[in-house]
Amino acid sequence: VFSGFDRYVTCCCFTRDGAAVLGASRLALKAWRIVEDRETDSDNEETENSAVNRETKFQFKLNQTKSRPELIERLQSFGGDVTSCDIYNDIIALSSTDKSIGLWSISGSGSKLKCTELESSPLLGHSYSVYSVKFSLSGLLLSGSLDGEVILWEPMSGTVIKRLEHPNRTGFRVVQISRSEKILAAGGDDDTAHVWDGDQHIALKGHDNTVFGLDISPDERFLVSGCSGELLKVWSLDHLYSSQ
C-alpha cells in the first residue's frame, strides 16, 4: 500500500523495469522503489512445481516474496497541482496546472535509485494548465492543455515539433499518440475526440460530456474514447478516413 498523499491521486505508472512506482497528488509526485523480502523454504522447488501445475509461476513467486514500498523521492511541481505523469525508459514527465511540464531522469538502482531534473526542464509553451502528457514509443512527448492546444515535443532538447489547436480553443483533458507517431488524438471539454493524421483533422462527436480517456489500437485502426457521462465509444479510423 502506497500512502502519504494529502489529496486524491491524479496519476500513477511503473518504470519500464518495474523497479519503481510513481504516483502524483496535488503539488508533488512521489517515487517509490519496490523492496522484496524473500522467504527461504526447503520445499520451494516442490512448491514451485505444484504451483506451475495448478496455475502459474507468478502465483508461487507472489506467495514467496513479500514486497514493500520505500519512498525514494518527492518531486515538487513548479507551483501548481500535478495533473498527469508518464515515463519513457528512465525519463519522467510531469504536467502541472502552472502551465509547465517537468522532466526528471531516474538513475542508479536499489537504495541508490534517485531522480535528477533535466536541463531542458521545465518545458514551457502552453498558456494554461497542462492536463495530460504521453510519451511515444520513440520518446517524443505529447501534451494537451486547457488552453486548447496540443504540443509534440522533443523533450531532451525542449524543441517543439508540432503545435495543434482546437478550432474553438476549447480545453483538452487527455492526449494519446499512436505507435508510429503518425496519429495524434486529444479529448476534452467540448465532449469530442479530436484526431490528427498529418494535416488531416477529424472531430469525433457522440459523447454527452467531457472526454477524459483515449487510446489508439496497436494496429492504428481503432480509437477508443471515454467520457464522464458514463459512455465508452470505439471508433473505426479506417472507416473515418475512407469517408472523408
Side-chain angles (χ1 to χ4, degrees), residues 73-108:
E73 198 83 39
R74 177 184 171 91
L75 308 178
Q76 294 292 134
S77 64
F78 299 99
D81 288 354
V82 175
T83 53
S84 71
C85 61
D86 199 16
I87 188 164
Y88 171 76
N89 290 341
D90 60 349
I91 304 300
I92 302 169
L94 177 69
S95 64
S96 171
T97 57
D98 70 350
K99 315 173 195 177
S100 72
I101 302 167
L103 299 170
W104 285 266
S105 66
I106 300 175
S107 60

Side-chain angles (χ1 to χ4, degrees), residues 24-178:
S25 174
R26 201 174 182 184
L27 297 177
L29 178 141
K30 296 182 178 182
W32 291 266
R33 70 185 182 101
I34 308 301
V35 180
E36 295 187 349
D37 300 323
R38 295 188 177 277
E39 294 182 347
T40 58
D41 192 326
S42 59
D43 296 328
N44 273 359
E45 184 175 353
E46 180 180 351
T47 304
E48 183 173 5
N49 289 335
S50 60
V52 170
N53 293 332
R54 291 198 311 271
E55 192 170 349
T56 64
K57 289 182 180 180
F58 173 77
Q59 290 297 332
F60 169 76
K61 291 179 180 179
L62 188 65
N63 293 330
Q64 296 299 312
T65 302
K66 292 183 178 179
S67 298
R68 57 184 173 84
E70 180 177 284
L71 184 65
I72 59 171
E73 198 83 39
R74 177 184 171 91
L75 308 178
Q76 294 292 134
S77 64
F78 299 99
D81 288 354
V82 175
T83 53
S84 71
C85 61
D86 199 16
I87 188 164
Y88 171 76
N89 290 341
D90 60 349
I91 304 300
I92 302 169
L94 177 69
S95 64
S96 171
T97 57
D98 70 350
K99 315 173 195 177
S100 72
I101 302 167
L103 299 170
W104 285 266
S105 66
I106 300 175
S107 60
S109 61
S111 60
K112 296 183 179 180
L113 200 67
K114 66 177 183 178
C115 301
T116 305
E117 189 172 356
L118 298 183
E119 291 185 4
S120 58
S121 176
L123 301 179
L124 301 174
H126 287 289
S127 60
Y128 204 53
S129 301
V130 184
Y131 218 85
S132 179
V133 288
K134 190 69 178 180
F135 278 110
S136 72
L137 287 182
S138 71
L140 299 181
L141 183 67
L142 190 66
S143 62
S145 168
L146 295 185
D147 63 8
E149 287 193 339
V150 172
I151 299 178
L152 183 64
W153 308 82
E154 201 299 305
M156 300 305 291
S157 65
T159 302
V160 174
I161 299 173
K162 182 178 293 186
R163 187 185 295 266
L164 303 167
E165 295 183 1
H166 186 286
N168 299 315
R169 303 290 292 188
T170 305
F172 289 118
R173 301 278 180 172
V174 61
V175 293
Q176 189 58 258
I177 184 168
S178 67

